[in-house]
Amino acid sequence: MGQVVLKGINKFYESVHAVKDVNLQIRDKEFVVFVGPSGCGKTTTLRMIAGLEAISSGDISIDGNVINALAPMDRDIAMVFQNYALYPHMSVYDNMAFGLKMRKFERREIEKRVREAADILGIGELLKRKPRQLSGGQRQRVALGRAIVRHPRVFLFDEPLSNLDAKLRVQMRVELKKLHLRLGTTAIYVTHDQVEAMTLGDRVVVMKDGVVQQVGEPLELYNQPANKFVAGFIGSPAMNFATVTVTEADGSLIAENSGLRIKLPDEIAQRLRGHVGREVILGVRPEDLTVASSADLDHPCFDAVIEVVEQLGSEILLDMKVGESNMVASVEPTARVRVADKLRVAMRRSRLHVFDAQTEAAI
Amino acid sequence: MAISAVSATTLREAPPPRRQRLLEDERWLAFVLLVPTIVLLGMFIAYPFIRGILLSVTSSRVGMPGDFVGLANFYKIFNDGIFRTSVYNTFVYTGVTTVFKLALGLWLAMLLNRNFRGKAFTRAFILLPFIIPTVLSTFAWKWMFDPTFSVLNWLLYHFGLITGRINWLGDPDLAMISIIVVNIWRGVPFFAISLLAGLQTISPELNEAAAIDGAKPWQRFWHITWPLLLPVTMVVVLFSVIQTFADFQIVYVMTGGGPANATHLFATYAYQIAIGTGLLSEGAAIALAMFPVLFLVVIIQLLYIRRVEVR
């Protein structure tokens, strides 16, 4: 079992309020990812769960038992650190066996568990080596192995892939996912990389300035972001935003600013009745913008000038000037476009997002 | 164009001056660059050392060149009771102080490695005994151990622990303890600051990982901190042993080797014989008697440091 509950968790560092009233229920066997920019409190939260930071207020419980006052060793958790934190003077075997030795396991049991973990991770050949004789990826596996052998109730990961090169990171990401499917241990994972969050997490917790912005399944965050921050943080390239004023004309709602004037589709217009005459923020993802054709007549369209064309092979990113602001569109690789081209761009009407200009919450 | 091209070629082919050509040769250049070091080491280390050896096998005194006498001086000092006491004292002095300096220095380093208000100030403050000229601080200690003016006696008396005065520097054993205390006081900052520097190279994540792995504080020290600090510890101990073994100032100022030659070390006894009584050659022999011991210590520790670093 490994059900983790955070209830009203706060963390103060002298005058800094680093984590603000975090409430979260993590189910057994779930893979939960904390994501956010640096300084958002995600690592602090993880370290409070680990017992490496004191909890200023609130309760953390595992399987119903409050663990606030327990030392890290008594919480039945295992942690993988960003810099691996392998013991440099010990062999790979001793690194993995250390936790079991400290807990006075029998030698035969230790050996069995270390071999088992080494087989799962494919590091059986490296057991006699010292950490500095290993590559980054191998060290990462040893760090994972050290966590696995303990058979803990919860795995804690603190940006475990951020020190690997891009290619290895993708590979280890897949392996982590497989490992979780195989072991089924509850995992709490901290990262600043939204791609890692989306691909690894059963659920993702987006944090900013110590506050949880939204908790949800990856696609839920992508499709229904709770606010402008989540909308901009999840997805790459990031969502385009435009501040527009809502006006009424001929019974329908119009959103306009200096370079944009679009008729809002009915489903959005309904939600914006109360905002007529006020400013709102319009959001649209680059992949929901297309070069307008005759088939797009019922979608909102606007004019743009291409400033930069980024060929990615599988898609083309267009950096466009729309009035005085900039927007990015991701279009089909077959599109024939050149810098300085004037385009008519269509927004997929069902994929428009609207946020309150003051609170930035989704409308 | 053609003309300038020709002249450029001739310029390039003109042989550089002889001196410059010699320096183009790396072997010569290396030699030239090494000369200042060789001269300095030769003048201030090799020459005095060899001169000391030559002196120790003669019968020279102050104002008398003397003759070659072979190992007679060494034979003489090995049969000298005070010399034997000095050897014994030096080992006790070095051994006891090193153990205490290491223990206290490590403890202090661990305390200073924590986060607390005024950390930088305290760390600098700790160095004071090390910064003050030894002779001056030792004079202060001499007053504290003075039988009449001793602040220690005053304290002990007022707390009711003693009734009469303790003659700290007048009793052979107490005098030895006194100089050991002063040496520890002076040596601890060096250990503390060096070990603190060593501790700071150990990532705090390792201790956190060990804490999660189930290691209790003393287990974390024993299994993580101590082995990772060992190379630094060995270097610090090496320096300290060499310095303490050849210590002079503290004993010279505190007791002058007394009472009744009971607290002499190699250095103070060598000084007393060579300068005090003018027996230069015998003094040189005493000073040289330190050499094999120190040489052995250095060899053993350097070998050990290399082993630790290789693994």
Side-chain angles (χ1 to χ4, degrees):
Chain A
M1 287 292 282
Q3 189 194 43
V4 182
V5 178
L6 280 66
K7 216 161 114 192
I9 297 299
N10 280 285
K11 177 69 186 180
F12 295 93
Y13 291 108
E14 295 183 12
S15 60
V16 182
H17 196 174
V19 175
K20 296 171 189 163
D21 197 32
V22 171
N23 289 287
L24 189 66
Q25 294 213 2
I26 297 167
R27 294 183 281 268
D28 185 33
K29 298 189 190 327
E30 197 174 21
F31 199 123
V32 167
V33 180
F34 281 75
V35 68
S38 48
C40 73
K42 56 191 192 296
T43 296
T44 307
T45 307
L46 188 80
R47 289 171 61 87
M48 284 193 282
I49 299 172
L52 299 172
E53 297 278 353
I55 302 161
S56 301
S57 72
D59 285 329
I60 296 179
S61 48
I62 298 182
D63 293 338
N65 303 314
V66 174
I67 55 162
N68 289 22
L70 289 185
M73 56 182 287
D74 299 321
R75 297 189 177 196
D76 203 5
I77 47 148
M79 183 155 166
V80 177
F81 291 82
Q82 180 173 2
N83 300 313
Y84 321 130
L86 298 178
Y87 312 124
H89 55 297
M90 295 184 197
S91 67
V92 168
Y93 181 92
D94 289 333
N95 262 284
M96 289 166 68
F98 186 72
L100 300 174
K101 280 180 188 164
M102 289 298 111
R103 282 157 210 272
K104 307 246 182 316
F105 276 70
E106 267 182 49
R107 256 190 61 185
R108 214 176 292 158
E109 174 68 10
I110 294 177
E111 188 158 342
K112 194 183 131 230
R113 287 200 187 187
V114 172
R115 296 263 166 223
E116 204 175 76
D119 282 346
I120 293 175
L121 295 162
I123 51 173
E125 309 292 302
L126 308 174
L127 290 177
K128 288 205 179 81
R129 300 230 194 132
K130 290 278 162 62
R132 62 183 160 72
Q133 296 167 302
L134 305 177
S135 68
Q138 289 169 333
R139 284 178 205 186
Q140 184 57 67
R141 280 165 212 269
V142 177
L144 282 174
R146 192 169 62 181
I148 292 174
V149 293
R150 295 250 319 276
H151 300 174
R153 280 191 290 190
V154 183
F155 283 131
L156 304 177
F157 297 97
D158 184 11
E159 309 218 12
L161 303 184
S162 57
N163 281 2
L164 301 177
D165 64 61
K167 201 172 162 189
L168 204 52
R169 200 179 308 154
V170 174
Q171 189 190 333
M172 284 304 289
R173 205 169 73 203
V174 176
E175 290 194 24
L176 265 178
K177 187 89 186 172
K178 281 188 195 159
L179 194 65
H180 179 250
L181 292 175
R182 175 168 179 175
L183 299 175
T185 310
T186 308
I188 305 176
Y189 187 106
V190 161
T191 180
H192 60 264
D193 181 348
Q194 57 95 16
V195 179
E196 265 173 40
M198 295 286 282
T199 50
L200 284 171
D202 295 325
R203 276 194 305 159
V204 177
V205 180
V206 183
M207 287 184 79
K208 182 196 165 200
D209 299 336
V211 178
V212 172
Q213 305 289 315
Q214 191 173 2
V215 182
E217 288 170 15
L219 283 183
E220 196 181 327
L221 299 185
Y222 180 83
N223 291 326
Q224 292 128 36
N227 58 33
K228 187 186 164 204
F229 176 77
V230 175
F233 196 80
I234 301 290
S236 172
M239 186 184 277
N240 297 297
F241 296 107
T243 305
V244 293
T245 311
V246 181
T247 53
E248 193 163 9
D250 310 331
S252 51
L253 291 191
I254 308 288
E256 69 182 323
N257 65 14
S258 58
L260 204 65
R261 183 186 160 83
I262 57 172
K263 183 170 157 282
L264 288 168
D266 295 342
E267 56 268 34
I268 288 178
Q270 274 169 11
R271 282 184 260 151
L272 287 178
R273 285 285 166 209
H275 288 76
V276 174
R278 305 205 344 230
E279 282 193 333
V280 295
I281 297 165
L282 209 59
V284 61
R285 293 195 183 277
E287 50 271 37
D288 296 326
L289 293 176
T290 52
V291 180
S293 64
S294 51
D296 295 318
L297 283 178
D298 58 337
H299 290 288
C301 292
F302 59 90
D303 290 315
V305 181
I306 298 176
E307 289 194 313
V308 177
V309 176
E310 296 177 89
Q311 294 281 2
L312 300 183
S314 60
E315 60 183 338
I316 302 175
L317 296 185
L318 302 178
D319 285 67
M320 310 175 299
K321 194 102 188 158
V322 181
E324 274 152 29
S325 54
N326 289 295
M327 283 203 181
V328 177
S330 161
V331 299
E332 290 290 308
T334 50
R336 300 187 68 82
V337 284
R338 273 181 316 199
V339 173
D341 278 358
K342 283 195 181 112
L343 283 183
R344 187 97 183 127
V345 179
M347 298 171 166
R348 256 199 275 167
R349 53 186 289 174
S350 60
R351 310 283 300 170
L352 275 179
H353 301 269
V354 194
F355 306 97
D356 190 287
Q358 264 77 51
T359 65
E360 299 196 342
I363 300 172
Chain B
M1 280 298 280
I3 291 165
S4 67
V6 167
S7 67
T9 328
T10 29
L11 263 182
R12 217 178 296 131
E13 279 172 0
R18 201 180 128 74
R19 217 185 325 155
Q20 213 175 328
R21 234 180 343 167
L22 267 180
L23 289 182
E24 289 290 324
D25 185 337
E26 273 186 26
R27 278 169 303 176
W28 272 103
L29 184 66
F31 178 74
V32 170
L33 293 176
L34 278 175
V35 163
T37 315
I38 292 171
V39 168
L40 282 175
L41 287 179
M43 253 167 51
F44 296 111
I45 294 181
Y47 173 73
F49 182 65
I50 292 166
R51 194 78 182 82
I53 293 176
L54 293 178
L55 202 56
S56 70
V57 292
T58 65
S59 59
S60 66
R61 298 153 176 250
V62 174
M64 257 185 59
D67 304 310
F68 177 76
V69 294
L71 297 177
N73 287 320
F74 290 96
Y75 184 75
K76 193 177 160 201
I77 60 170
F78 284 124
N79 287 311
D80 173 0
I82 302 175
F83 175 75
R84 290 187 178 174
T85 310
S86 308
V87 174
Y88 174 78
N89 284 348
T90 308
F91 276 97
V92 170
Y93 182 69
T94 308
V96 174
T97 58
T98 304
V99 168
F100 275 93
K101 281 187 279 192
L102 178 58
L104 292 173
L106 187 56
W107 176 64
L108 209 54
M110 305 269 284
L111 286 181
L112 290 174
N113 199 30
R114 298 177 173 207
N115 261 321
F116 57 90
R117 218 176 279 244
K119 187 172 62 178
F121 178 76
T122 314
R123 284 179 183 171
F125 201 71
I126 289 291
L127 270 176
L128 267 184
F130 192 63
I131 297 165
I132 299 170
T134 313
V135 174
L136 296 185
S137 55
T138 310
F139 266 115
W141 275 102
K142 195 180 176 187
W143 274 81
M144 290 200 267
F145 284 121
D146 187 280
T148 314
F149 307 111
S150 170
V151 67
L152 292 172
N153 280 351
W154 185 84
L155 279 175
L156 292 172
Y157 182 79
H158 280 263
F159 280 111
L161 294 170
I162 52 171
T163 50
R165 289 176 181 145
I166 297 179
N167 190 358
W168 291 101
L169 301 178
D171 175 88
D173 290 333
L174 286 179
M176 197 66 203
I177 290 172
S178 302
I179 59 171
I180 283 175
V181 166
V182 177
N183 182 280
I184 292 170
W185 172 82
R186 193 189 125 74
V188 162
F190 173 65
F191 273 76
I193 295 297
S194 309
L195 294 176
L196 175 63
L199 283 177
Q200 288 181 337
T201 63
I202 301 174
S203 160
E205 279 192 349
L206 292 179
N207 259 300
E208 293 177 351
I212 290 176
D213 264 346
K216 295 179 186 74
W218 69 268
Q219 287 175 317
R220 298 207 288 274
F221 174 77
W222 184 245
H223 291 290
I224 310 294
T225 310
W226 177 253
L228 291 176
L229 194 62
L230 201 54
V232 177
T233 310
M234 292 307 282
V235 173
V236 175
V237 168
L238 172 71
F239 283 158
S240 172
V241 163
I242 293 170
Q243 276 207 323
T244 314
F245 206 81
D247 196 11
F248 175 81
Q249 299 179 81
I250 292 175
V251 174
Y252 184 75
V253 173
M254 291 276 288
T255 65
N261 294 321
T263 57
H264 266 308
L265 305 179
F266 271 108
T268 54
Y269 191 49
Y271 174 83
Q272 178 164 317
I273 294 294
I275 310 297
T277 55
L279 300 168
L280 286 179
S281 56
E282 211 175 303
I286 294 169
L288 273 175
M290 271 192 282
F291 181 72
V293 181
L294 285 182
F295 191 69
L296 205 66
V297 171
V298 173
I299 295 282
I300 291 171
Q301 288 192 309
L302 286 181
L303 284 178
Y304 189 76
I305 288 165
R306 224 168 73 183
R307 216 194 71 194
V308 169
E309 279 177 353
V310 163
R311 70 173 188 187

